[in-house]
Amino acid sequence: MSDSLEILLTNDDGIDSVGIRAIHDALVDHANANVTVVAPASDQSACGRSLSHNGEIGLVDHELGYAVEGTPADCVVAGLAELGPEPDLVVAGCNRGANLGEYVLGRSGTISAAVEAAFFDVPAIATSMYVPVDDVPLGEIDLTVDDFREAQRVTTYLAEHALAAGAFEHAAYLNVNVPMADANDRPAPIEITRPSKRYEMDAKSDGDQVTLYDRIWESMDPETIPDPEGTDRRTVAEGRISISPLTAPHSTNHHEVLTDLAETYHDRVATAGD
């Protein structure tokens, strides 16, 4: 590719996270890319597509680019509308922890950055890394740039080739989930997937407190995972890279039942009021 790619890079873990540094360096060094970083100044995980309420957000120069006192969606709007050159591609990540399954898509700040880009008609890649946690909280696991080698490799590859191949003629964004790089640094195979439909949120109350549990992470053993073949969760649990081509905004499913309800609404409500 002779001309440099223009890429807007953001995340939801914050501009000082290891994951965004890893992706930034890989895109600059290996994808012939001009990268503009506009990322949250602090961790904004699981904020979804939240926008700052007052519309005014702090902006600080950072060695990577711009640190925004706001959400990933704020960062994409600010980056695309004002702070950077018109990009060929938005990249979000690399997120510490996987973003797998339908129920996660609206919750994740990483995914939401890609969705925000779609409303600007800019293709996007959201990259996340599955980190097996066992009994250790994810936030207490120390990760290095080397742990993100698989994420660097596949994100760079997609940035270089997906646009020219026409991948975004069929998808607004790609949700990419990778395993951690193995000791031998062998590239993992890629599987094109669909988001898993499993949902296992739970809650327990104890006096004046309610604790929420995401029990779906308790069943990631590749030997017993119940998610079917072809889903993102099974693919990552079995050590492969999952790429789900997704669309935004939401599609509309017209059907006769709702049409009939709409047609009878006025008469039924008027009769009920008599």
Side-chain angles (χ1 to χ4, degrees):
M1 186 176 293
S2 57
D3 297 328
S4 293
L5 278 169
E6 289 287 350
I7 295 178
L8 175 66
L9 176 62
T10 190
N11 73 344
D12 75 354
D13 288 337
I15 198 167
D16 291 316
S17 70
V18 178
I20 196 170
R21 169 70 72 174
I23 296 300
H24 171 272
D25 292 351
L27 291 173
V28 170
D29 294 342
H30 302 297
N32 192 32
N34 178 39
V35 180
T36 300
V37 175
V38 183
S42 59
D43 189 346
Q44 298 289 317
S45 296
C47 68
R49 285 189 62 226
S50 296
L51 289 166
S52 294
H53 294 297
N54 59 13
E56 297 179 359
I57 50 179
L59 181 67
V60 179
D61 286 336
H62 187 278
E63 61 169 321
L64 286 182
Y66 301 97
V68 173
E69 296 288 348
T71 68
D74 290 333
C75 293
V76 172
V77 174
L80 293 181
E82 176 66 19
L83 297 177
E86 183 176 348
D88 301 297
L89 183 70
V90 169
V91 175
C94 180
N95 191 65
R96 170 198 285 259
N99 279 305
L100 302 167
E102 288 185 342
Y103 81 107
V104 168
L105 298 181
R107 178 186 300 175
S108 162
T110 303
I111 301 300
S112 295
V115 172
E116 202 69 35
F119 282 96
F120 280 85
D121 292 324
V122 178
I125 298 169
T127 303
S128 305
M129 183 175 72
Y130 171 55
V131 182
V133 295
D134 296 324
D135 295 326
V136 180
L138 180 60
E140 295 180 11
I141 297 176
D142 290 327
L143 297 174
T144 68
V145 169
D146 283 346
D147 292 319
F148 290 88
R149 291 191 306 272
E150 192 74 84
Q152 289 177 309
R153 188 160 41 223
V154 70
T155 304
T156 301
Y157 174 79
L158 291 170
E160 287 183 298
H161 300 290
L163 285 165
F168 295 103
E169 295 174 10
H170 308 282
Y173 67 99
L174 306 178
N175 183 26
V176 181
N177 283 275
V178 305
M180 291 179 65
D182 67 21
N184 297 316
D185 198 25
R186 293 172 296 192
I190 290 175
E191 183 171 340
I192 307 304
T193 59
R194 64 187 184 277
S196 173
K197 294 182 179 295
R198 283 179 60 216
Y199 182 79
E200 295 184 17
M201 290 297 299
D202 195 6
K204 299 291 183 182
S205 63
D206 181 13
D208 60 356
Q209 179 173 294
V210 175
T211 302
L212 306 182
Y213 298 96
D214 190 349
R215 299 201 181 280
I216 206 161
W217 298 104
E218 298 172 4
S219 55
M220 290 295 290
D221 183 341
E223 298 297 325
T224 60
I225 190 167
D227 304 69
E229 297 287 343
T231 58
D232 52 5
R233 187 174 298 278
R234 172 175 283 276
T235 295
V236 170
E238 293 179 345
R240 300 183 298 281
I241 298 169
S242 163
I243 300 180
S244 294
L246 301 172
T247 60
H250 303 297
S251 60
T252 302
N253 183 18
H254 287 285
H255 51 85
E256 292 182 0
V257 171
L258 277 178
T259 300
D260 292 343
L261 286 173
E263 290 175 349
T264 59
Y265 165 76
H266 182 271
D267 290 341
R268 290 185 177 180
V269 170
T271 302
D274 291 340

